[in-house]
Amino acid sequence: MNPVAPEDSVFEVAPRSFWQALRDLAISAIVVTAIALIVSFISAASAHAQTQTKAKGELRIGYQKSASLFVLQKAQGTLEKKLSPLGFGVKWVEFPAGPQLLEGLNVGAVDVGYVGEAPPIFAQAAGAKFVYFGHDPAAPRAEAILVTKDSPIRSVADLKGKKVALNKGSNVHYLLVKQLEKNGLKLSDIQPVYLAPADGRAAFESKNVDAWVIWDPFQAAAEKATGARVLADGAPDVVNNYQYYLGERGFVKKHPQVIDALFADSVEQGIWLKKNLRQAAELIAPLQGLPVEVVELALRRYEFNVKPITAAVAADQQQIADTFYALKLIPKPIKVSDAVVTAQP
């Protein structure tokens, strides 16, 4: 019988295979454990980061397409970059007009918003909960009384007895009242025709009204498309036409750093916009559905340099509120300062 070679012995080969398998199993277990630990660590870190972000929250901004600076900021994503270090995201919520935006703010759908002078007055008179916390500089030329290019009307005084279209209770309602006063007339001396902007332009172009009181960018669109002539605007020293930043009182007080970041980004983007009007108009126009030249003209008449509310600005808004109450446009008198976070000298 031939002896079995040592290397062929099952008693020697089996142990080596067993220990190799055991070693491989151990290594596999170590690798799997390590991977599990890494995944667990990453998941925990991610969950912690998400928890931290959610703990701080999200800035929900109400805006209208006519709010050119907000439209630019949304498109560029600059505010998101400003708020990221604070753990805040941004949610942009579009509204068709100021009154709807104020309702959204009142019911808690948004945290901050940007509107003209009139909507907050009506909202406060209706009991809405909000606060003014910032304003853009006066833009008196961004709203006007328009007449057709061939109109025989040459002065505001010539509007006596004439039909004038306007959006009831809007900023331009106040402009019309002040311009009539300046020229020795009252609202009862003309025939006001209350129409929304689209209907107002149709009536204006068809000459069913003698004049149209409107704001930018509708004003700029009428000038560019029809050659409409500016009979009078808010300058000089007739109206200021401020634009306001509004917010939910608790949010504004609880998150001053978020408000500061919003201010900082708005100022930076506003400076860039005014220095690069054509480029800004080219970015904004397709988002607003308007020709570039219309947007550029409107941008020229607005200023973008947000600042906190001052006592003087609050007093100006109070004058508008008092005028609207006298005209019975709001049901009761209001005190604007009650809705101001901080009124500075």
Side-chain angles (χ1 to χ4, degrees):
M1 179 181 292
N2 294 327
V4 177
E7 59 266 29
D8 294 332
S9 171
V10 295
F11 294 102
E12 292 190 19
V13 173
R16 284 203 302 270
S17 299
F18 173 79
W19 289 114
Q20 285 175 349
L22 189 61
R23 181 192 64 188
D24 292 343
L25 184 61
I27 291 173
S28 298
I30 292 170
V31 171
V32 170
T33 302
I35 292 173
L37 287 172
I38 291 171
V39 171
S40 177
F41 175 80
I42 292 173
S43 299
S46 177
H48 177 72
Q50 291 178 2
T51 300
Q52 290 299 309
T53 300
K54 289 179 180 177
K56 290 192 175 181
E58 184 176 56
L59 175 62
R60 300 168 301 165
I61 301 176
Y63 77 105
Q64 306 166 62
K65 277 188 178 177
S66 59
S68 297
L69 184 58
F70 267 1
V71 170
L72 178 65
Q73 288 170 282
K74 179 178 182 291
Q76 301 289 73
T78 53
L79 182 57
E80 284 82 349
K81 294 175 184 176
K82 275 277 195 303
L83 290 176
S84 180
L86 301 177
F88 268 77
V90 180
K91 181 179 180 181
W92 297 89
V93 184
E94 184 181 337
F95 291 89
Q100 291 92 328
L101 194 157
L102 264 295
E103 180 59 25
L105 190 61
N106 187 47
V107 300
V110 293
D111 304 305
V112 301
Y114 178 82
V115 297
E117 296 164 326
I121 291 172
F122 285 89
Q124 188 177 355
K129 298 175 182 178
F130 69 91
V131 289
Y132 298 82
F133 66 87
H135 76 287
D136 275 343
R141 296 190 184 280
E143 57 180 3
I145 303 172
L146 300 180
V147 292
T148 57
K149 59 183 178 181
D150 58 351
S151 173
I153 297 173
R154 295 292 166 182
S155 71
V156 174
D158 293 338
L159 291 176
K160 186 173 183 178
K162 299 293 193 294
K163 292 181 179 180
V164 181
L166 70 150
N167 194 73
K168 185 176 183 179
S170 65
N171 294 11
V172 296
H173 204 144
Y174 185 64
L175 169 66
L176 178 61
V177 169
K178 299 305 288 184
Q179 276 289 1
L180 290 173
E181 285 180 359
K182 182 181 177 182
N183 288 271
L185 299 176
K186 297 179 294 185
L187 199 60
S188 57
D189 291 322
I190 66 166
Q191 299 179 55
V193 180
Y194 297 119
L195 298 170
D199 294 330
R201 177 164 171 174
F204 178 71
E205 290 187 13
S206 62
K207 298 186 179 180
N208 288 326
V209 295
D210 302 289
W212 182 31
V213 200
I214 192 60
W215 61 89
D216 274 323
F218 303 107
Q219 175 188 339
E223 290 177 84
K224 289 291 186 182
T226 71
R229 175 163 49 87
V230 174
L231 184 67
D233 54 30
D237 303 320
V238 179
V239 298
N240 285 309
N241 191 29
Y242 290 120
Q243 304 298 307
Y244 288 104
Y245 287 76
L246 310 175
E248 192 277 319
R249 186 185 295 270
F251 184 92
V252 173
K253 286 192 171 183
K254 185 178 179 181
H255 302 291
Q257 289 181 308
V258 172
I259 301 302
D260 288 345
L262 173 60
F263 275 27
D265 188 65
S266 297
V267 170
E268 288 174 15
Q269 295 306 306
I271 291 172
W272 180 87
L273 185 157
K274 295 299 282 187
K275 287 183 177 179
N276 302 275
L277 280 171
R278 185 68 182 185
Q279 187 178 350
E282 289 172 348
L283 289 170
I284 295 168
L287 301 175
Q288 292 182 330
L290 294 169
V292 173
E293 60 271 18
V294 168
V295 175
E296 184 176 2
L297 177 58
L299 292 177
R300 290 184 185 278
R301 293 192 282 230
Y302 280 108
E303 298 298 327
F304 305 100
N305 188 22
V306 59
K307 296 183 182 300
I309 301 294
T310 65
V313 170
D316 184 85
Q317 186 74 339
Q318 184 65 56
Q319 287 184 356
I320 300 174
D322 293 343
T323 299
F324 282 179
Y325 177 64
L327 292 170
K328 302 188 185 315
L329 292 174
I330 56 175
K332 63 181 181 180
I334 63 169
K335 190 175 180 182
V336 171
S337 59
D338 288 344
V340 176
V341 173
T342 53
Q344 301 173 356

